[in-house]
């Protein structure tokens, strides 16, 4: 198991609100991916998260939670990724909900397991964009500015470019990666073939594959590049 996120090239993101049979889960966990991330934008509960975590735990692969609601934080994951949305004016998605969660549980957290993420949500039709009021960017310079904001101003270890549900503009992603000095660029959104995985892997540090798992498992597995 590799918990050094700087070495991660590929992550499968599983949604606790969607069903996956045992053989599919086994193939994903044994695929050679660097980590299984558990999280989603809607329908995530404590119960469905515990259930999925315990099934993934039977395998050696790193198993991490991406927290979208503090009601579904489950002990026992290897790492906890905590997103803050950078391209919204709605403060609750930047620091508001985080503040409330830390007020309640801050003293109990194992900070060595926490990975803060700076999120930029670029597909306006995605659930995450609608939920958080993500603002559209006009040009790659906007994304580069957010990359610097995450890397240099806030010193976040992960800059996450999220196109959830659509394959994004890899030239924008590439340009954003080039301005990062410390942070790692995670790219997720619409990767549904080996070819797209190659393009995204060339533009980003780490690629995240979600939806296609539930649509075409073979194609999802082909995104783990050998
Ligand atoms: C979603 O970035 C991930 O949070 C992956 O996107 O579901 O479109 O693969 P897809």
């Amino acid at each position: 198991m590799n918990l050094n996120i700087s070495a991660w090239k590929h992550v499968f993101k599983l949604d606790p609100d969607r069903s996956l049979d045992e053989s599919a889960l086994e193939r994903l966990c044994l695929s050679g991916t660097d980590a299984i991330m558990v999280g989603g934008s809607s329908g995530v509960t404590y119960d469905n998260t515990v259930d999925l975590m315990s099934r993934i735990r039977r395998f050696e692969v790193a198993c991490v939670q991406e927290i979208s609601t503090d009601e579904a934080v489950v002990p026992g994951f290897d790492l906890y990724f905590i997103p803050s949305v950078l391209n919204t004016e709605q403060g609750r998605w930047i620091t508001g909900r985080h503040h409330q969660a830390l007020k309640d549980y801050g003293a109990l957290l194992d900070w060595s397991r926490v990975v803060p993420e700076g999120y930029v949500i670029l597909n306006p039709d995605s659930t995450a964009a609608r939920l958080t009021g993500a603002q559209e960017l006009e040009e790659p310079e906007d994304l580069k500015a957010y990359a610097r904001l995450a890397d240099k101003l806030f010193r976040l270890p992960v800059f996450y470019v999220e196109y959830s549900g659509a394959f994004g503009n890899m030239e924008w992603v590439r340009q954003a990666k080039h301005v990062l000095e410390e942070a790692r660029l995670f790219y997720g959104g619409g990767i549904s073939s080996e070819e797209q995985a190659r393009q995204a892997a060339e533009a980003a540090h780490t690629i995240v594959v979600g939806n296609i798992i539930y649509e075409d498992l073979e194609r999802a597995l082909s995104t783990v590049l050998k």
Side-chain angles (χ1 to χ4, degrees):
M1 184 187 304
N2 179 4
L3 296 183
N4 173 16
I5 64 164
S6 308
W8 290 1
K9 300 269 187 212
H10 183 282
V11 173
F12 278 126
K13 192 184 281 192
L14 299 187
D15 185 342
D17 195 32
R18 296 173 90 170
S19 59
L20 197 63
D21 67 40
E22 283 309 313
S23 96
L25 186 69
E26 177 171 356
R27 293 185 69 198
L28 292 165
C29 291
L30 300 178
S31 63
T33 188
D34 293 299
I36 307 285
M37 180 178 273
V38 174
S41 301
S42 64
V44 177
T45 66
Y46 188 89
D47 288 348
N48 63 22
T49 303
V50 170
D51 183 56
L52 184 54
M53 182 190 74
S54 54
R55 291 172 63 207
I56 298 165
R57 272 281 174 239
R58 296 185 291 115
F59 303 95
E60 275 285 303
V61 67
C63 177
V64 308
Q65 182 176 21
E66 187 173 61
I67 297 173
S68 53
T69 166
D70 58 330
E71 286 152 29
V73 180
V74 170
F77 280 97
D78 295 311
L79 297 172
Y80 294 88
F81 283 69
I82 304 187
S84 286
V85 180
L86 304 179
N87 62 325
T88 180
E89 290 186 342
Q90 298 180 15
R92 67 181 180 280
W93 302 109
I94 312 169
T95 58
R97 292 165 60 117
H98 315 65
H99 172 257
Q100 188 58 48
L102 293 182
K103 196 171 165 188
D104 296 337
Y105 311 112
L108 306 172
L109 275 187
D110 175 356
W111 289 101
S112 68
R113 293 185 186 275
V114 172
V115 183
E117 302 173 292
Y119 247 71
V120 174
I121 305 174
L122 292 180
N123 174 8
D125 298 324
S126 65
T127 308
R130 285 195 295 268
L131 186 70
T132 62
Q135 297 188 315
E136 289 194 50
L137 274 50
E138 287 179 7
E139 52 186 2
E141 277 61 34
D142 291 312
L143 189 63
K144 284 156 66 177
Y146 278 124
R148 289 195 168 101
L149 194 150
D151 189 37
K152 292 303 197 190
L153 212 52
F154 291 171
R155 310 252 173 133
L156 298 168
V158 173
F159 179 58
Y160 196 123
V161 179
E162 170 70 291
Y163 271 93
S164 184
F167 192 65
N169 184 327
M170 289 306 117
E171 183 49 34
W172 283 35
V173 174
R174 189 176 297 108
Q175 289 189 30
K177 182 176 78 170
H178 281 143
V179 305
L180 297 175
E181 290 186 5
E182 308 283 338
R184 198 117 183 125
L185 194 149
F186 279 45
Y187 169 80
I191 299 172
S192 56
S193 67
E194 182 179 338
E195 176 53 28
Q196 284 177 327
R198 284 196 193 287
Q199 290 172 23
E202 190 263 317
H205 294 115
T206 306
I207 63 171
V208 183
V209 175
N211 268 311
I212 191 68
I213 295 165
Y214 301 94
E215 289 159 14
D216 186 332
L217 183 67
E218 298 305 326
R219 288 175 67 158
L221 291 165
S222 79
T223 66
V224 184
L225 304 173
K226 303 298 176 206

